[in-house]
Coordinates of all heavy atoms in Angstrom, one line a residue:
M1 N 2.2 5.1 25.7 CA 3.6 5.6 26.0 C 4.5 5.4 24.8 O 4.5 4.3 24.2 CB 4.1 4.9 27.2 CG 5.5 5.3 27.7 SD 5.5 7.0 28.4 CE 5.0 6.7 30.1
V2 N 5.2 6.4 24.5 CA 6.2 6.3 23.3 C 7.5 5.6 23.8 O 7.9 5.9 24.9 CB 6.4 7.7 22.8 CG1 7.4 7.6 21.6 CG2 5.1 8.3 22.3
K3 N 8.0 4.8 23.0 CA 9.3 4.2 23.3 C 10.4 4.7 22.5 O 10.2 5.0 21.3 CB 9.2 2.6 23.2 CG 8.3 2.0 24.2 CD 8.6 0.6 24.5 CE 7.7 -0.1 25.4 NZ 7.7 0.3 26.8
C4 N 11.5 4.8 23.1 CA 12.7 5.3 22.4 C 13.1 4.3 21.2 O 13.1 3.1 21.4 CB 13.9 5.4 23.3 SG 15.4 5.9 22.6
A5 N 13.3 4.9 20.1 CA 13.6 4.1 18.9 C 14.9 3.3 19.0 O 15.2 2.3 18.4 CB 13.6 4.9 17.6
F6 N 15.8 3.8 19.9 CA 17.1 3.2 20.0 C 17.2 2.3 21.2 O 17.4 1.1 21.1 CB 18.2 4.2 20.1 CG 19.6 3.6 20.0 CD1 20.1 3.1 18.8 CD2 20.3 3.5 21.1 CE1 21.3 2.5 18.7 CE2 21.6 2.9 21.1 CZ 22.1 2.4 19.9
C7 N 17.0 2.8 22.4 CA 17.3 2.0 23.6 C 16.0 1.2 24.0 O 16.1 0.3 24.8 CB 17.8 2.9 24.7 SG 16.6 4.0 25.5
G8 N 14.8 1.6 23.6 CA 13.6 0.9 23.9 C 13.0 1.3 25.2 O 12.0 0.8 25.6
N9 N 13.6 2.3 25.9 CA 13.0 2.8 27.2 C 11.8 3.7 26.9 O 11.7 4.3 25.8 CB 14.0 3.6 28.0 CG 15.1 2.7 28.5 OD1 14.8 1.5 28.8 ND2 16.3 3.2 28.7
D10 N 10.9 3.8 27.8 CA 9.8 4.8 27.7 C 10.3 6.2 27.6 O 11.2 6.6 28.3 CB 8.8 4.6 28.9 CG 8.1 3.3 28.9 OD1 8.0 2.7 27.8 OD2 7.6 2.9 30.0
V11 N 9.6 7.0 26.7 CA 9.9 8.4 26.6 C 8.8 9.1 27.3 O 7.6 9.1 26.9 CB 10.1 8.8 25.1 CG1 10.4 10.3 25.0 CG2 11.1 8.0 24.4
E12 N 9.1 9.9 28.3 CA 8.1 10.7 29.0 C 7.6 11.7 28.1 O 8.3 12.4 27.4 CB 8.8 11.3 30.3 CG 9.3 10.4 31.3 CD 8.1 9.8 32.1 OE1 7.1 10.4 32.3 OE2 8.3 8.6 32.6
P13 N 6.3 11.9 28.2 CA 5.7 13.0 27.3 C 6.3 14.3 27.6 O 6.5 14.7 28.8 CB 4.2 13.0 27.7 CG 4.0 11.7 28.3 CD 5.3 11.2 29.0
G14 N 6.7 15.1 26.6 CA 7.3 16.4 26.8 C 8.8 16.3 26.9 O 9.5 17.3 26.9
T15 N 9.4 15.1 26.9 CA 10.8 15.0 26.9 C 11.3 14.3 25.7 O 10.4 13.8 24.9 CB 11.3 14.2 28.2 OG1 10.9 12.8 28.0 CG2 10.8 14.8 29.4
G16 N 12.6 14.2 25.5 CA 13.1 13.4 24.3 C 12.9 14.3 23.1 O 12.5 15.4 23.1
T17 N 13.4 13.6 22.0 CA 13.4 14.3 20.7 C 12.7 13.5 19.6 O 12.8 12.2 19.7 CB 14.8 14.7 20.2 OG1 15.6 13.5 20.3 CG2 15.4 15.8 21.0
L18 N 12.0 14.1 18.7 CA 11.4 13.4 17.6 C 12.2 13.8 16.3 O 12.5 14.9 16.1 CB 10.0 13.9 17.4 CG 9.2 13.4 16.2 CD1 9.0 11.9 16.4 CD2 7.9 14.1 16.1
Y19 N 12.6 12.7 15.6 CA 13.3 12.9 14.4 C 12.5 12.3 13.2 O 12.1 11.2 13.3 CB 14.7 12.2 14.5 CG 15.5 12.3 13.2 CD1 16.2 13.4 12.9 CD2 15.5 11.2 12.4 CE1 16.9 13.5 11.7 CE2 16.3 11.2 11.2 CZ 16.9 12.4 10.9 OH 17.7 12.4 9.7
I20 N 12.3 13.0 12.2 CA 11.6 12.5 11.0 C 12.6 12.4 9.8 O 13.2 13.4 9.4 CB 10.4 13.5 10.6 CG1 9.5 13.6 11.8 CG2 9.7 12.9 9.4 CD1 8.5 14.7 11.7
R21 N 12.8 11.2 9.4 CA 13.7 11.0 8.3 C 13.2 11.4 7.0 O 12.0 11.7 6.8 CB 14.0 9.4 8.3 CG 15.4 9.1 7.9 CD 15.7 7.6 8.3 NE 14.8 6.7 7.6 CZ 14.9 5.4 7.8 NH1 15.8 4.9 8.5 NH2 14.0 4.6 7.2
D22 N 14.0 11.5 6.0 CA 13.6 11.9 4.6 C 12.5 11.1 4.1 O 11.6 11.6 3.3 CB 14.8 11.8 3.6 CG 15.9 12.8 3.9 OD1 15.6 13.8 4.7 OD2 17.0 12.6 3.5
D23 N 12.4 9.8 4.4 CA 11.3 9.0 3.9 C 10.1 9.0 4.8 O 9.2 8.1 4.8 CB 11.8 7.5 3.7 CG 12.3 6.9 5.0 OD1 12.2 7.5 6.1 OD2 12.7 5.7 5.0
A24 N 10.0 10.0 5.7 CA 8.9 10.3 6.6 C 8.7 9.3 7.7 O 7.7 9.3 8.4 CB 7.6 10.4 5.8
K25 N 9.7 8.4 7.9 CA 9.7 7.5 9.0 C 10.0 8.3 10.3 O 11.0 9.1 10.3 CB 10.7 6.4 8.8 CG 10.4 5.2 9.8 CD 11.3 4.0 9.4 CE 11.0 2.8 10.2 NZ 10.6 2.8 11.5
M26 N 9.3 8.1 11.4 CA 9.5 8.9 12.6 C 10.2 8.1 13.6 O 9.9 6.9 13.8 CB 8.2 9.4 13.2 CG 7.4 10.3 12.2 SD 6.3 11.4 13.1 CE 5.1 10.1 13.8
F27 N 11.1 8.7 14.3 CA 11.9 8.1 15.4 C 11.7 9.0 16.6 O 12.0 10.2 16.6 CB 13.4 8.0 15.1 CG 13.7 7.1 13.9 CD1 13.7 7.6 12.6 CD2 13.9 5.8 14.1 CE1 14.0 6.8 11.5 CE2 14.2 4.9 13.0 CZ 14.3 5.5 11.7
N28 N 11.3 8.4 17.7 CA 11.4 9.0 19.0 C 12.6 8.6 19.8 O 12.9 7.4 19.8 CB 10.1 8.6 19.8 CG 8.9 9.4 19.4 OD1 8.7 10.5 19.6 ND2 8.0 8.7 18.6
F29 N 13.3 9.6 20.3 CA 14.5 9.3 21.1 C 14.3 9.9 22.5 O 13.8 11.0 22.6 CB 15.8 9.8 20.4 CG 16.1 9.2 19.1 CD1 15.9 10.0 17.9 CD2 16.5 7.9 19.0 CE1 16.1 9.4 16.7 CE2 16.8 7.3 17.8 CZ 16.6 8.1 16.6
C30 N 14.8 9.1 23.5 CA 14.7 9.6 24.9 C 15.7 10.7 25.1 O 15.6 11.5 26.0 CB 14.8 8.5 25.9 SG 16.4 7.6 25.8
G31 N 16.7 10.8 24.3 CA 17.7 11.8 24.6 C 18.7 11.9 23.4 O 18.7 11.1 22.5
L32 N 19.6 12.8 23.5 CA 20.6 13.0 22.4 C 21.5 11.8 22.3 O 22.0 11.6 21.2 CB 21.4 14.3 22.7 CG 20.7 15.6 22.4 CD1 21.6 16.8 22.8 CD2 20.3 15.8 20.9
K33 N 21.8 11.2 23.4 CA 22.7 10.0 23.4 C 22.1 9.0 22.4 O 22.9 8.4 21.5 CB 22.8 9.4 24.8 CG 23.8 8.3 24.9 CD 23.7 7.8 26.3 CE 24.7 6.7 26.6 NZ 24.6 6.1 27.9
C34 N 20.8 8.7 22.5 CA 20.2 7.7 21.6 C 20.2 8.2 20.2 O 20.4 7.4 19.3 CB 18.8 7.3 22.1 SG 18.9 6.4 23.7
K35 N 19.8 9.4 20.0 CA 19.8 10.0 18.7 C 21.1 9.9 18.0 O 21.2 9.5 16.8 CB 19.3 11.5 18.8 CG 19.0 12.1 17.5 CD 18.5 13.5 17.7 CE 18.2 14.2 16.3 NZ 17.8 15.6 16.5
K36 N 22.2 10.2 18.7 CA 23.5 10.2 18.1 C 23.9 8.7 17.8 O 24.5 8.5 16.7 CB 24.5 10.8 19.2 CG 25.8 11.2 18.6 CD 26.6 11.9 19.7 CE 28.1 11.5 19.5 NZ 28.9 11.9 20.7
N37 N 23.6 7.8 18.7 CA 24.0 6.4 18.4 C 23.3 5.9 17.2 O 23.8 5.1 16.5 CB 23.7 5.6 19.7 CG 24.9 5.6 20.7 OD1 25.8 4.9 20.6 ND2 24.8 6.5 21.6
Q38 N 22.0 6.2 17.1 CA 21.2 5.7 15.9 C 21.6 6.4 14.6 O 21.9 5.7 13.6 CB 19.8 5.9 16.2 CG 18.8 5.6 15.1 CD 18.5 4.1 15.0 OE1 17.9 3.6 15.9 NE2 18.8 3.5 13.9
L39 N 21.7 7.7 14.6 CA 21.8 8.4 13.4 C 23.2 8.7 12.9 O 23.6 8.6 11.8 CB 21.0 9.8 13.5 CG 19.6 9.6 13.8 CD1 19.0 11.0 14.0 CD2 18.8 8.9 12.7
K40 N 24.1 8.9 13.9 CA 25.5 9.3 13.6 C 26.4 8.1 13.6 O 27.1 7.8 12.7 CB 25.9 10.4 14.6 CG 26.3 11.7 13.9 CD 26.9 12.6 14.9 CE 27.7 13.6 14.2 NZ 28.3 14.5 15.2
L41 N 26.3 7.3 14.7 CA 27.2 6.2 14.9 C 26.6 4.9 14.2 O 27.3 4.0 14.1 CB 27.4 6.0 16.4 CG 28.0 7.2 17.1 CD1 28.0 7.0 18.6 CD2 29.3 7.6 16.6
K42 N 25.3 5.0 13.9 CA 24.6 3.8 13.3 C 24.9 2.5 14.0 O 25.2 1.5 13.5 CB 25.1 3.7 11.8 CG 24.7 5.0 11.0 CD 24.6 4.6 9.5 CE 24.6 5.9 8.7 NZ 23.6 6.8 9.0
R43 N 24.7 2.6 15.3 CA 24.9 1.4 16.2 C 23.6 0.6 16.1 O 22.5 1.2 16.0 CB 25.2 1.8 17.6 CG 26.7 2.3 17.7 CD 27.1 2.2 19.2 NE 28.5 2.6 19.3 CZ 28.9 3.5 20.3 NH1 28.0 4.0 21.1 NH2 30.1 3.8 20.3
N44 N 23.8 -0.7 16.4 CA 22.6 -1.5 16.5 C 22.4 -1.7 18.0 O 23.2 -2.2 18.7 CB 23.0 -2.9 15.9 CG 21.8 -3.8 15.8 OD1 20.8 -3.7 16.6 ND2 21.8 -4.7 14.9
P45 N 21.2 -1.3 18.5 CA 20.9 -1.4 19.9 C 21.0 -2.8 20.5 O 21.3 -3.0 21.7 CB 19.4 -0.9 20.0 CG 18.9 -0.9 18.7 CD 20.0 -0.8 17.7
V46 N 20.8 -3.8 19.6 CA 20.9 -5.2 20.1 C 22.3 -5.5 20.5 O 22.6 -6.4 21.4 CB 20.4 -6.2 19.0 CG1 20.6 -7.6 19.4 CG2 18.9 -5.9 18.7
H47 N 23.3 -4.8 20.0 CA 24.7 -5.0 20.3 C 25.3 -3.9 21.2 O 26.5 -3.8 21.3 CB 25.5 -5.1 19.0 CG 25.1 -6.2 18.1 ND1 25.1 -7.5 18.5 CD2 24.5 -6.2 16.9 CE1 24.6 -8.3 17.5 NE2 24.3 -7.5 16.5
T48 N 24.4 -3.1 21.7 CA 24.9 -2.0 22.5 C 24.4 -2.2 24.0 O 23.2 -2.3 24.2 CB 24.3 -0.6 22.0 OG1 24.6 -0.5 20.6 CG2 24.9 0.6 22.7
K49 N 25.4 -2.3 24.8 CA 25.1 -2.8 26.2 C 24.1 -2.1 27.0 O 23.4 -2.6 27.8 CB 26.4 -3.0 27.0 CG 27.2 -4.2 26.7 CD 28.4 -4.4 27.5 CE 29.1 -5.7 27.2 NZ 30.4 -5.8 27.9
W50 N 24.1 -0.7 26.9 CA 23.3 0.0 27.8 C 21.8 0.2 27.4 O 21.0 0.8 28.0 CB 23.9 1.4 28.1 CG 24.3 2.2 26.8 CD1 25.5 2.2 26.2 CD2 23.5 3.0 26.0 NE1 25.5 2.9 25.1 CE2 24.3 3.5 24.9 CE3 22.1 3.4 26.1 CZ2 23.8 4.3 23.9 CZ3 21.6 4.2 25.1 CH2 22.4 4.7 24.0
T51 N 21.4 -0.4 26.3 CA 20.0 -0.4 25.8 C 19.3 -1.5 26.4 O 19.8 -2.6 26.8 CB 19.9 -0.4 24.3 OG1 20.2 -1.7 23.9 CG2 20.8 0.6 23.6
S52 N 17.9 -1.4 26.5 CA 17.1 -2.5 27.0 C 16.9 -3.5 25.9 O 16.3 -4.6 26.1 CB 15.8 -1.9 27.5 OG 15.0 -1.4 26.4
K53 N 17.3 -3.3 24.7 CA 17.2 -4.2 23.6 C 18.4 -5.2 23.5 O 18.5 -6.1 22.7 CB 17.0 -3.5 22.2 CG 15.7 -2.8 22.1 CD 15.7 -2.1 20.7 CE 14.4 -1.2 20.6 NZ 14.4 -0.5 19.4
Y54 N 19.4 -4.9 24.3 CA 20.7 -5.6 24.3 C 20.5 -7.1 24.6 O 19.8 -7.5 25.5 CB 21.7 -5.0 25.2 CG 23.0 -5.8 25.3 CD1 23.9 -5.7 24.2 CD2 23.4 -6.5 26.4 CE1 25.1 -6.3 24.2 CE2 24.6 -7.2 26.4 CZ 25.4 -7.1 25.3 OH 26.6 -7.8 25.3
K55 N 21.0 -7.9 23.7 CA 20.9 -9.4 23.9 C 22.3 -9.9 24.0 O 23.2 -9.6 23.2 CB 20.2 -10.0 22.8 CG 18.7 -9.7 22.7 CD 18.0 -10.5 21.7 CE 16.5 -10.2 21.6 NZ 16.2 -9.0 20.9
K56 N 22.5 -10.8 25.0 CA 23.9 -11.4 25.2 C 24.2 -12.4 24.1 O 23.3 -13.1 23.6 CB 24.0 -11.9 26.6 CG 24.1 -10.8 27.6 CD 24.1 -11.4 29.0 CE 24.0 -10.3 30.0 NZ 23.5 -10.7 31.3
Ligands
ZN101 ZN1 16.8 6.0 24.3

């Protein structure tokens, strides 16, 4: 099972988006929300409450 690069949740096969960066590193995202937070807003999932990586 693939996990979302941002929130850490499982990505169901056939859903989500795959993003390949210029340096060929691949990111799987469960949805546009996670893609936007990672790539555009450059948020850290550890500090983002709704992710499963969030630590208090
Ligand atoms: Zn996600």
Side-chain angles (χ1 to χ4, degrees):
M1 184 68 84
V2 179
K3 290 206 185 291
C4 177
F6 188 75
C7 71
N9 290 332
D10 290 339
V11 180
E12 295 286 330
T15 69
T17 48
L18 177 66
Y19 175 80
I20 302 167
R21 215 165 56 180
D22 290 344
D23 62 2
K25 195 173 189 325
M26 296 202 298
F27 296 91
N28 283 284
F29 297 108
C30 62
L32 285 174
K33 187 184 181 185
C34 289
K35 188 177 180 184
K36 196 175 146 195
N37 274 274
Q38 172 85 57
L39 301 174
K40 244 186 153 180
L41 305 172
K42 301 203 190 308
R43 285 198 179 133
N44 187 336
V46 174
H47 302 298
T48 307
K49 275 185 181 173
W50 50 266
T51 71
S52 65
K53 293 180 184 173
Y54 180 70
K55 291 189 181 80
K56 282 174 192 158

